[in-house]
Amino acid sequence: MTERTETPPAAEAGLAEARPVEPEARPVEARPAEPAAGPAAGTVPRVQVRPVGEVRAWPRSFADRLTTPLPGVRAFARLAREGAFRPDPEGLRGIPDLPYAPAPLPPAAPGTVSVTWAGHASWVLRIGGLTVLTDPVWSRRILGTPARMTPVGVRWEDLPPVDAVVISHNHYDHLDAPTLRRLPRDTALFVPAGLGRWCRRRGFTRVTELDWWESAELDGVRFGFVPAHHWSKRSLLDACRTLWGGWVLTDARGSGGQVYFAGDTGYGHWFGEIGRRYPGIDLALLPIGAYAPRWWLRDVHTDPEEAVRACLDLGARRMAPMHWATFVLSAEPVMEPLRRVRAAWARAALPREHLWDLPIGASRAF
């Protein structure tokens, strides 16, 4: 099952989501940061800054943000007919070769930014003196998929105190409730518009919801929420009820280092726009897996060649591949994403040392 068919059993669908929310404050009416048509040519619009922890009201649906329509009955019928849900036996033989090399986390030196790949889209990001987790999934299994092919690259007990978490969207391989339950409830969560209610129902008290092109600042680190070519769904009846996107984290007081975390996305025009609004990205964490069959997943998952192209569109100096080698979500051979991204990087004549194709558990700093 791919993310496009992620629907839990009816008995589980929306049980917690159906409970009313106790109001914490008078909601602030949410408005888009920019008109849908975009800024005037030749200008770089301001990214709106919102208060941390602001409680806001949102529209019932974000379906108007979709880049392409969601698949219909014919697409599902074709997928069922072709049966292209998993790699064939030959493609699965590469599991023992998946890169896994856990090592101690590097020291958080002043003026440096470090990233450690825990697997899939989960990173331990040290920036501006903060420890930030991206889409943390420490569970062995998620709904609708086989167990992890590789262990988590960082043991939970080896993590330093977590200052903040960013969530890209609510699919189960990116928003993992069992992992979030391990966190203190006063951990700062930065989430897409509409997802704050889900987090507050689980006891989190410092939840910041952002629309595209909005940001908030925590202890000198700026968290900017940016568009992605994707969608959201967590139960049978909630498609596009919450927003989806990526994050740009900026050390606003120290090194000025800037990291883009794409979350989950297909290829498209948003990468160039993100690069215009956030010039000088030092490192782009970009997905390279879960792309086959291409006719089914092209709109929502970049393949390795598209990820390299996205890095160029962003103007990012470095790229670290992610969203592969962890869960079986699609039909490509498990080692193919790494081979293809290395070949695409070489064809683009980019410096080899700027491709951070890390094993799970490894770290790199700049």
Side-chain angles (χ1 to χ4, degrees):
M1 180 184 295
T2 70
E3 283 189 353
R4 301 194 93 170
T5 59
E6 177 191 43
T7 50
E12 297 179 18
L15 293 180
E17 287 72 7
R19 299 190 192 113
V21 178
E22 290 295 326
E24 300 175 32
R26 188 176 185 84
V28 177
E29 183 64 28
R31 291 182 172 83
E34 293 292 339
T43 66
V44 178
R46 178 174 58 89
V47 175
Q48 292 192 0
V49 180
R50 309 293 304 203
V52 170
E54 180 182 20
V55 180
R56 307 170 68 177
W58 299 103
R60 182 172 174 78
S61 173
F62 293 92
D64 60 328
R65 308 291 185 91
L66 289 168
T67 308
T68 56
L70 295 178
V73 174
R74 289 185 179 179
F76 280 101
R78 177 181 173 184
L79 185 68
R81 186 170 62 251
E82 295 180 358
F85 299 103
R86 299 283 185 265
D88 60 23
E90 181 64 30
L92 290 171
R93 287 200 184 106
I95 289 177
D97 300 322
L98 292 171
Y100 179 75
L105 293 173
T112 66
V113 177
S114 71
V115 294
T116 304
W117 190 28
H120 201 52
S122 302
W123 295 85
V124 184
L125 176 58
R126 318 285 289 280
I127 181 170
L130 300 186
T131 297
V132 182
L133 302 185
T134 69
D135 288 358
V137 179
W138 261 250
S139 297
R140 181 173 176 270
R141 184 185 295 273
I142 56 173
L143 184 68
T145 70
R148 303 175 78 106
M149 296 184 289
T150 47
V152 183
V154 182
R155 296 190 312 165
W156 188 263
E157 53 268 31
D158 292 338
L159 287 172
V162 175
D163 299 292
V165 171
V166 297
I167 300 295
S168 63
H169 65 298
N170 71 357
H171 285 153
Y172 282 83
D173 59 323
H174 294 260
L175 178 62
D176 184 51
T179 299
L180 292 184
R181 280 199 295 268
R182 299 184 179 197
L183 293 165
R185 295 307 185 266
D186 61 351
T187 304
L189 304 187
F190 293 87
V191 303
L195 198 53
R197 177 178 296 182
W198 187 95
C199 299
R200 286 188 287 269
R201 273 202 300 268
R202 285 152 180 81
F204 288 95
T205 59
R206 301 175 67 200
V207 183
T208 303
E209 298 173 88
L210 296 179
D211 200 345
W212 290 348
W213 309 126
E214 293 181 341
S215 68
E217 191 166 313
L218 176 69
D219 297 337
V221 175
R222 192 167 299 135
F223 295 75
F225 191 52
V226 296
H229 299 273
H230 207 62
W231 65 306
S232 69
K233 184 179 179 67
R234 197 165 177 88
S235 66
L236 291 174
L237 302 173
D238 69 346
C240 301
R241 293 283 180 86
T242 64
L243 196 51
W244 53 91
W247 293 91
V248 178
L249 274 63
T250 307
D251 181 355
R253 293 191 306 204
S255 67
Q258 194 159 244
V259 177
Y260 166 64
F261 167 66
D264 210 351
T265 182
Y267 179 78
H269 69 286
W270 284 129
F271 294 110
E273 183 63 17
I274 293 166
R276 286 204 321 113
R277 300 199 193 202
Y278 288 92
I281 293 172
D282 295 290
L283 173 64
L285 310 175
L286 286 163
I288 65 167
Y291 52 78
R294 207 72 200 110
W295 67 265
W296 173 250
L297 291 167
R298 177 183 293 109
D299 295 334
V300 293
H301 287 164
T302 52
D303 64 22
E305 293 78 15
E306 290 169 335
V308 173
R309 185 177 173 189
C311 185
L312 293 171
D313 292 350
L314 290 160
R317 184 180 180 190
R318 307 170 183 88
M319 171 183 161
M322 64 173 185
H323 205 269
W324 78 285
T326 308
F327 296 108
V328 176
L329 299 173
S330 54
E332 74 271 6
V334 295
M335 282 295 293
E336 183 181 276
L338 182 61
R339 293 194 295 268
R340 285 177 56 173
V341 77
R342 287 173 172 172
W345 193 263
R347 284 195 301 271
L350 296 168
R352 180 61 181 87
E353 65 272 17
H354 290 174
L355 178 64
W356 289 8
D357 46 346
L358 301 178
I360 292 173
S363 305
R364 196 72 65 87
F366 62 85

